[in-house]
Amino acid sequence: MSEDAEDDSPAVAPRPQQFRRPPRVDVNGWINLDKPVGVTSTQAVARLKRLFNAKKVGHAGTLDPLASGVLPVAFGEATKTVPVVQDGAKAYAFVVRWGVETDTDDAEGRAVAASDARPTPGEIEAALPGFVGVISQTPPTFSAIRIAGERAYDLARGGEAFEIAPRPVVIHRFALVAAERDEARFEAECGKGAYVRALARDLGRTLGCHGHVVFLRRLRVGPFHVGAATGLEAAEASPEARAAALQPVEAGLAELPRLAVDRNGAAILRRGQKLLLRGAALPSSGPAYACCFGAPIAFGAIEDGYFVSTRVFNLPA
């Protein structure tokens, strides 16, 4: 066939290019996220995981979709410190609307009890001391508590009948900030496992007027405070903004005593052995974490003059 001859063979269509996600990368550290209203904690974490293209991500305490505020998000080796952060105190600002109790204990649910009674500021103040200290609290029906392996909110949405046993929780502080006829604003500091929605529900019952939460903002989780938190939109703005917001792994351990160890001590801890401590200024017992030249090595507890590691970090040199 000459060069001028027409080639009437069928054309081969090019294969469509398939999108391939770049391989996940190792990211280590914390984002102190200011979660917005209307986004679940799972959705917020998933968005950050996608933005960082990170291999491993977790968070230190679920925040309801209707709530905003501090949601500490851990990446990589920082996920080992999640239990430490979860054990820290939580602080909240919230508003309770009187007159109606709902099945979710917030504004999303349907009314299950109502009252025309309204408490005075004095009556509210008088009731608060009964909710401070170690108290017995039944978590909300719509909560992340597991019942026979299932989340309570999944069972509740499916219409299944079940009971959640009350449990002891610690309320460090419960203060009235402002009061109107139909609503009151509060601040509370709680220990692990306490529910603000249950606190509002039980206060309403005690006052004989019923109530539910209509506004909830978490101000603190352990060492993470809302004043230093980063919003989702800010994190999504640019890679530079995300890099600036990423805090080191040890940010989750900031409330623990810090032990400085030398290279030999670090090697002992990395082998999973306990480390003999020397120094009069060291705490006698309790949780702590160890660093070598500023790099976190492990966290655990001081026992009988030794540092015994709970988890050891595997961070790049």
Side-chain angles (χ1 to χ4, degrees):
M1 183 183 291
S2 69
E3 292 181 359
D4 296 329
E6 181 178 333
D7 185 0
D8 56 359
S9 59
V12 178
R15 289 185 178 182
Q17 288 188 333
Q18 293 183 339
F19 171 76
R20 291 187 178 181
R21 180 187 297 274
R24 299 283 189 186
V25 298
D26 288 314
V27 179
N28 298 298
W30 284 93
I31 293 287
N32 179 12
L33 182 67
D34 187 347
K35 187 193 81 66
V37 172
V39 177
T40 68
S41 296
T42 300
Q43 290 169 340
V45 170
R47 284 166 67 172
L48 286 179
K49 183 176 183 179
R50 176 181 54 80
L51 287 169
F52 280 90
N53 195 31
K55 286 183 180 178
K56 189 174 184 180
V57 187
H59 68 78
T62 301
L63 201 53
D64 296 333
L66 291 184
S68 67
V70 174
L71 178 67
V73 180
F75 294 81
E77 289 295 286
T79 59
K80 294 177 178 178
T81 68
V82 164
V84 177
V85 177
Q86 287 178 324
D87 284 342
K90 287 86 174 171
Y92 299 88
F94 59 103
V95 174
V96 178
R97 182 166 295 158
W98 308 121
V100 175
E101 181 177 317
T102 70
D103 57 356
T104 60
D105 300 318
D106 62 19
E108 268 196 327
R110 62 180 181 84
V112 294
S115 172
D116 292 330
R118 295 295 183 270
T120 66
E123 290 171 335
I124 298 171
E125 292 275 13
L128 295 184
F131 292 91
V132 176
V134 179
I135 66 170
S136 178
Q137 185 184 80
T138 302
T141 301
F142 286 80
S143 66
I145 297 294
R146 288 194 179 274
I147 307 293
E150 300 290 333
R151 296 291 189 184
Y153 52 66
D154 289 330
L155 297 175
R157 288 170 186 148
E160 295 191 36
F162 62 93
E163 290 187 4
I164 302 178
R167 57 186 184 172
V169 297
V170 177
I171 310 299
H172 301 291
R173 186 174 73 93
F174 191 7
L176 177 66
V177 176
E180 299 177 358
R181 182 182 184 277
D182 293 321
E183 292 183 349
R185 180 177 292 270
F186 298 92
E187 288 183 355
E189 293 180 12
C190 315
K192 183 179 180 180
Y195 280 85
V196 168
R197 286 180 291 137
L199 204 58
R201 175 201 66 208
D202 294 343
L203 178 60
R205 290 176 181 177
T206 296
L207 293 169
C209 62
H210 299 295
H212 63 277
V213 172
V214 293
F215 169 86
L216 176 60
R217 183 159 174 77
R218 189 153 66 188
L219 307 177
R220 174 196 171 195
V221 178
F224 298 102
H225 296 255
V226 74
T230 299
L232 260 181
E233 290 187 358
E236 292 172 333
S238 68
E240 294 77 17
R242 290 191 288 279
L246 187 66
Q247 300 182 38
V249 168
E250 59 267 32
L253 304 171
E255 294 186 326
L256 301 185
R258 178 178 179 270
L259 306 177
V261 301
D262 59 19
R263 288 189 176 90
N264 290 333
I268 290 171
L269 293 174
R270 288 192 177 108
R271 290 196 297 268
Q273 299 173 315
K274 62 182 181 180
L275 178 65
L276 177 64
L277 301 177
R278 295 180 177 87
L282 297 175
S284 59
S285 64
Y289 76 102
C291 284
C292 180
F293 294 100
I297 304 300
F299 69 91
I302 299 173
E303 301 174 359
D304 300 323
Y306 287 87
F307 177 72
V308 182
S309 63
T310 301
R311 299 296 298 271
V312 177
F313 299 113
N314 183 25
L315 292 166

